[in-house]
């Protein structure tokens, strides 16, 4: 490392232009991209956080969030790992089009699902599919910075060919005696080097793999059905749910024209634009249906990108995660997680 590296400025939060310096296949449908700043910079973020890509696709501005799969203990680049999804507009666009030398604008980092804001002494990471990305960042951070960190890592995958970061995690577990790695393989395949169970994760399998799971702090990330099963399983087993933490990113809502005369319950007024919404629809759906500009990155109430202000009317929010007490008092809400309880006037 030369003197310039030590003198590189820190990037902590905000919009930044990144250059792709490397890309590689993790599995048959998962690709990792390594980024550096257009100018030499050290990236400061919390393990488990995500960044939001700001893209122009077919003339439309699109924002989408992806977890940083690298660790802040290795600060001179960022790695994002993306799974190809059937119909996935942004993920497939990036995999098909983002090459070494190309640059992108991103914002962040964001996310309260991280090892700095959530304190723990004994960790249980439960992941499925591409939900492994924050857990990999967390594991790398712990093994780089805290010798002897007590980590139990249980990952679920459809088959052996779908295992992301397998070799890297295997090396981590071999070098760090307090890290235990376990797999649940739905196809029934077995791994020689590591304990695995045939089929999906069950409480019996978890109890066998991690006998002290009730004493750990749990971090969960994966598809929504997987997380719901895990959450119910742990709750029914008597786990202290105050030590249960999960992360997910929802798919964009389908865009549909909404009119105030179309059997809707309430009216959303934004400047001169009016949209009708029913009780089950979010403010974000109304904004997007009218084509108004808003960044909607995580769509799960964790990134804060879709913050807007209620000027009048009553709403109900399922998440206020990134809002300060003062912002809440001033009427700010997260559009993706807020529904109308009356007619509302909104400011973007």
């Amino acid at each position: 490392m030369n003197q310039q590296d030590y003198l590189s400025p820190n990037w902590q939060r905000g919009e930044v232009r990144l250059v792709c310096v490397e890309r590689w296949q993790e599995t048959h449908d998962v690709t990792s991209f390594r980024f550096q700043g257009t100018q030499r910079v050290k990236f400061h973020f919390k393990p488990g956080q995500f960044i939001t890509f700001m893209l122009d696709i077919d003339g439309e501005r699109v924002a989408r969030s992806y977890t940083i799969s690298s660790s802040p203990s290795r600060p001179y680049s960022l790695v994002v790992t993306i799974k190809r999804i059937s119909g996935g507009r942004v993920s497939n666009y990036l995999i098909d089009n983002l090459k070494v030398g190309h640059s992108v604008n991103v914002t962040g980092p964001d996310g309260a699902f991280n090892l700095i804001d959530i304190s723990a002494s004994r960790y249980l990471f439960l992941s499925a599919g591409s939900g492994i990305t924050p857990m990999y960042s967390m594991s790398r951070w712990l093994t780089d910075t805290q010798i002897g960190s007590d980590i139990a890592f249980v990952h679920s995958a459809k088959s052996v060919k779908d295992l992301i970061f397998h070799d890297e995690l295997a090396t981590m577990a071999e070098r760090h005696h307090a890290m235990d790695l376990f797999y649940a393989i739905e196809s029934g395949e077995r791994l020689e080097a590591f304990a695995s169970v045939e089929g999906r994760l069950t409480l019996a399998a978890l109890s066998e793999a991690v006998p002290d799971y009730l004493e750990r702090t749990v971090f969960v990330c994966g598809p929504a059905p997987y997380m719901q099963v895990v959450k119910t399983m742990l709750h029914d087993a008597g786990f202290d749910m105050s030590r249960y933490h999960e992360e997910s990113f929802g798919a964009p809502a389908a865009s549909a024209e909404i009119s105030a005369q179309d059997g809707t319950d309430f009216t959303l007024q934004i400047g001169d634009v009016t949209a009708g919404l029913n009780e089950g629809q979010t403010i974000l759906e109304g904004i997007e249906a009218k084509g108004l500009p808003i960044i909607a990155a995580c769509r799960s109430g964790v990134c804060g990108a879709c913050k807007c202000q209620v000027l009048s009317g009553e709403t109900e929010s399922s998440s206020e995660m990134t809002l300060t007490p003062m912002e809440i008092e001033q009427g700010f809400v997260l559009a993706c997680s807020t529904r109308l309880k009356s007619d509302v006037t909104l400011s973007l």
Side-chain angles (χ1 to χ4, degrees), residues 145-179:
T145 64
Q146 300 180 29
I147 304 304
S149 294
D150 190 343
I151 306 167
F153 197 135
V154 183
H155 180 63
S156 298
K158 291 182 178 180
S159 68
V160 170
K161 73 174 185 176
D162 294 299
L163 292 176
I164 306 170
F165 307 135
H166 172 56
D167 292 342
E168 293 87 347
L169 285 171
T171 300
M172 258 191 252
E174 288 169 359
R175 291 179 177 175
H176 300 273
H177 69 278
M179 178 177 177

Coordinates of all heavy atoms in Angstrom, one line a residue, residues 145-179:
T145 N -11.8 -8.4 12.1 CA -11.6 -7.4 13.1 C -11.8 -7.9 14.5 O -11.3 -7.3 15.4 CB -12.7 -6.3 12.9 OG1 -14.0 -6.8 13.1 CG2 -12.5 -5.7 11.5
Q146 N -12.5 -9.0 14.7 CA -12.7 -9.5 16.1 C -12.3 -11.0 16.2 O -13.1 -11.9 15.9 CB -14.1 -9.3 16.5 CG -14.6 -7.9 16.5 CD -16.0 -7.7 16.9 OE1 -16.6 -8.5 17.7 NE2 -16.7 -6.7 16.4
I147 N -11.1 -11.3 16.5 CA -10.6 -12.6 16.6 C -11.4 -13.4 17.6 O -11.6 -13.0 18.7 CB -9.1 -12.7 16.9 CG1 -8.3 -11.8 16.0 CG2 -8.6 -14.1 17.0 CD1 -8.4 -12.2 14.5
G148 N -11.9 -14.6 17.2 CA -12.6 -15.5 18.1 C -14.1 -15.1 18.2 O -14.8 -15.6 19.1
S149 N -14.6 -14.4 17.2 CA -16.1 -14.1 17.2 C -16.9 -15.4 17.1 O -16.6 -16.2 16.2 CB -16.4 -13.2 16.0 OG -15.8 -11.9 16.1
D150 N -17.9 -15.5 17.9 CA -18.7 -16.7 18.0 C -19.8 -16.6 16.9 O -20.8 -16.0 17.1 CB -19.3 -16.8 19.4 CG -19.9 -18.1 19.6 OD1 -20.2 -18.9 18.7 OD2 -20.2 -18.5 20.8
I151 N -19.6 -17.3 15.8 CA -20.5 -17.2 14.6 C -21.0 -18.6 14.3 O -20.3 -19.5 14.1 CB -19.8 -16.7 13.4 CG1 -19.1 -15.3 13.7 CG2 -20.8 -16.5 12.2 CD1 -18.2 -14.9 12.6
A152 N -22.4 -18.7 14.2 CA -23.0 -19.9 13.7 C -23.7 -19.4 12.4 O -24.5 -18.5 12.4 CB -24.0 -20.5 14.6
F153 N -23.4 -20.1 11.3 CA -23.9 -19.6 10.0 C -24.6 -20.8 9.3 O -24.0 -21.8 9.0 CB -22.7 -19.2 9.1 CG -23.0 -18.3 7.9 CD1 -22.3 -17.2 7.6 CD2 -24.1 -18.7 7.0 CE1 -22.6 -16.4 6.5 CE2 -24.4 -17.9 5.9 CZ -23.6 -16.8 5.7
V154 N -25.9 -20.6 9.1 CA -26.7 -21.7 8.5 C -27.3 -21.1 7.2 O -28.2 -20.2 7.2 CB -27.8 -22.2 9.4 CG1 -28.6 -23.3 8.8 CG2 -27.3 -22.6 10.8
H155 N -26.9 -21.7 6.1 CA -27.4 -21.2 4.8 C -28.2 -22.2 4.1 O -27.9 -23.4 4.0 CB -26.2 -20.8 3.9 CG -26.7 -20.2 2.5 ND1 -27.4 -19.1 2.4 CD2 -26.5 -20.7 1.3 CE1 -27.7 -18.9 1.1 NE2 -27.1 -19.8 0.4
S156 N -29.4 -21.8 3.5 CA -30.2 -22.7 2.7 C -30.1 -22.4 1.2 O -30.1 -21.2 0.8 CB -31.7 -22.5 3.2 OG -31.9 -22.8 4.5
A157 N -30.1 -23.5 0.4 CA -30.0 -23.3 -1.0 C -30.8 -24.4 -1.7 O -31.0 -25.5 -1.1 CB -28.5 -23.3 -1.5
K158 N -31.1 -24.2 -3.0 CA -31.9 -25.2 -3.7 C -31.0 -26.4 -4.0 O -31.5 -27.5 -4.0 CB -32.4 -24.6 -5.0 CG -33.6 -23.6 -4.8 CD -34.1 -23.1 -6.1 CE -35.2 -22.1 -5.9 NZ -35.8 -21.6 -7.2
S159 N -29.8 -26.2 -4.4 CA -28.8 -27.2 -4.7 C -27.4 -26.8 -4.5 O -27.2 -25.6 -4.2 CB -29.0 -27.6 -6.2 OG -28.6 -26.6 -7.1
V160 N -26.5 -27.7 -4.6 CA -25.1 -27.4 -4.4 C -24.6 -26.3 -5.4 O -23.8 -25.4 -5.1 CB -24.2 -28.6 -4.5 CG1 -22.7 -28.3 -4.5 CG2 -24.5 -29.6 -3.3
K161 N -25.1 -26.4 -6.7 CA -24.7 -25.4 -7.7 C -25.2 -24.0 -7.4 O -24.7 -23.1 -8.0 CB -25.1 -25.9 -9.1 CG -26.6 -25.7 -9.3 CD -27.0 -26.0 -10.8 CE -28.4 -25.8 -11.0 NZ -28.8 -26.0 -12.5
D162 N -26.1 -23.9 -6.4 CA -26.7 -22.6 -6.1 C -26.0 -22.0 -4.9 O -26.4 -20.9 -4.4 CB -28.2 -22.7 -5.8 CG -28.9 -23.0 -7.1 OD1 -28.9 -22.3 -8.1 OD2 -29.6 -24.1 -7.1
L163 N -24.9 -22.6 -4.3 CA -24.3 -22.1 -3.2 C -23.4 -20.9 -3.5 O -22.4 -21.0 -4.3 CB -23.4 -23.2 -2.5 CG -24.2 -24.3 -1.9 CD1 -23.2 -25.4 -1.4 CD2 -25.1 -23.9 -0.8
I164 N -23.7 -19.7 -3.0 CA -23.0 -18.5 -3.2 C -21.9 -18.4 -2.1 O -22.2 -18.6 -0.9 CB -23.9 -17.3 -3.2 CG1 -25.1 -17.5 -4.2 CG2 -23.2 -16.0 -3.5 CD1 -26.2 -16.5 -4.0
F165 N -20.7 -18.0 -2.5 CA -19.6 -17.7 -1.5 C -19.1 -19.0 -0.8 O -18.5 -18.9 0.3 CB -19.9 -16.7 -0.5 CG -20.4 -15.4 -1.0 CD1 -21.6 -14.8 -0.4 CD2 -19.8 -14.7 -2.1 CE1 -22.0 -13.6 -0.9 CE2 -20.3 -13.5 -2.5 CZ -21.4 -12.9 -2.0
H166 N -19.4 -20.2 -1.4 CA -19.1 -21.4 -0.6 C -17.6 -21.5 -0.3 O -17.3 -21.8 0.8 CB -19.6 -22.6 -1.4 CG -19.2 -23.9 -0.9 ND1 -19.4 -24.3 0.5 CD2 -18.4 -25.0 -1.4 CE1 -18.9 -25.5 0.7 NE2 -18.3 -25.9 -0.4
D167 N -16.8 -21.3 -1.3 CA -15.3 -21.5 -1.1 C -14.8 -20.5 -0.1 O -14.0 -20.8 0.8 CB -14.6 -21.4 -2.4 CG -14.9 -22.6 -3.4 OD1 -15.4 -23.6 -2.9 OD2 -14.6 -22.4 -4.6
E168 N -15.3 -19.3 -0.2 CA -14.8 -18.2 0.7 C -15.2 -18.5 2.1 O -14.5 -18.3 3.1 CB -15.3 -16.8 0.2 CG -14.7 -16.4 -1.1 CD -15.5 -16.9 -2.3 OE1 -16.4 -17.8 -2.1 OE2 -15.3 -16.4 -3.4
L169 N -16.5 -18.9 2.3 CA -17.0 -19.2 3.6 C -16.3 -20.4 4.2 O -16.0 -20.5 5.4 CB -18.5 -19.4 3.6 CG -19.4 -18.2 3.4 CD1 -20.8 -18.6 3.2 CD2 -19.3 -17.3 4.7
A170 N -16.0 -21.4 3.3 CA -15.3 -22.6 3.8 C -13.9 -22.2 4.3 O -13.5 -22.7 5.4 CB -15.1 -23.6 2.7
T171 N -13.2 -21.3 3.6 CA -11.9 -20.9 4.1 C -12.0 -20.1 5.4 O -11.2 -20.3 6.3 CB -11.2 -20.0 3.0 OG1 -11.1 -20.7 1.8 CG2 -9.9 -19.5 3.5
M172 N -13.0 -19.3 5.5 CA -13.2 -18.5 6.8 C -13.4 -19.5 7.9 O -12.9 -19.3 9.0 CB -14.5 -17.6 6.6 CG -14.2 -16.2 6.4 SD -15.7 -15.2 6.5 CE -16.0 -14.8 4.8
A173 N -14.3 -20.5 7.7 CA -14.7 -21.4 8.8 C -13.5 -22.3 9.2 O -13.3 -22.6 10.4 CB -15.8 -22.3 8.4
E174 N -12.6 -22.6 8.2 CA -11.5 -23.4 8.5 C -10.4 -22.7 9.3 O -9.7 -23.2 10.2 CB -10.8 -23.9 7.2 CG -11.7 -25.0 6.5 CD -11.2 -25.3 5.1 OE1 -10.2 -24.6 4.7 OE2 -11.8 -26.1 4.5
R175 N -10.3 -21.4 9.1 CA -9.3 -20.5 9.8 C -9.8 -20.0 11.1 O -8.9 -19.6 11.9 CB -8.9 -19.4 8.8 CG -8.2 -19.8 7.6 CD -7.8 -18.6 6.7 NE -7.0 -19.0 5.6 CZ -6.7 -18.1 4.6 NH1 -7.1 -16.9 4.6 NH2 -6.0 -18.6 3.6
H176 N -11.1 -19.9 11.3 CA -11.6 -19.3 12.5 C -12.3 -20.4 13.3 O -13.5 -20.8 13.0 CB -12.5 -18.1 12.2 CG -11.7 -17.0 11.5 ND1 -11.0 -16.0 12.1 CD2 -11.6 -16.8 10.1 CE1 -10.5 -15.3 11.2 NE2 -10.8 -15.7 10.0
H177 N -11.7 -20.8 14.4 CA -12.3 -21.9 15.2 C -13.6 -21.7 15.8 O -14.4 -22.6 16.0 CB -11.3 -22.3 16.3 CG -11.2 -21.3 17.4 ND1 -10.4 -20.1 17.3 CD2 -11.8 -21.2 18.6 CE1 -10.6 -19.4 18.4 NE2 -11.4 -20.0 19.2
A178 N -14.0 -20.4 16.0 CA -15.3 -20.1 16.6 C -16.4 -19.8 15.6 O -17.5 -19.4 15.9 CB -15.1 -18.8 17.5
M179 N -16.1 -20.1 14.3 CA -17.1 -20.0 13.3 C -17.6 -21.4 12.8 O -16.7 -22.2 12.3 CB -16.6 -19.2 12.1 CG -17.6 -19.0 11.0 SD -17.0 -18.0 9.6 CE -18.3 -18.1 8.4

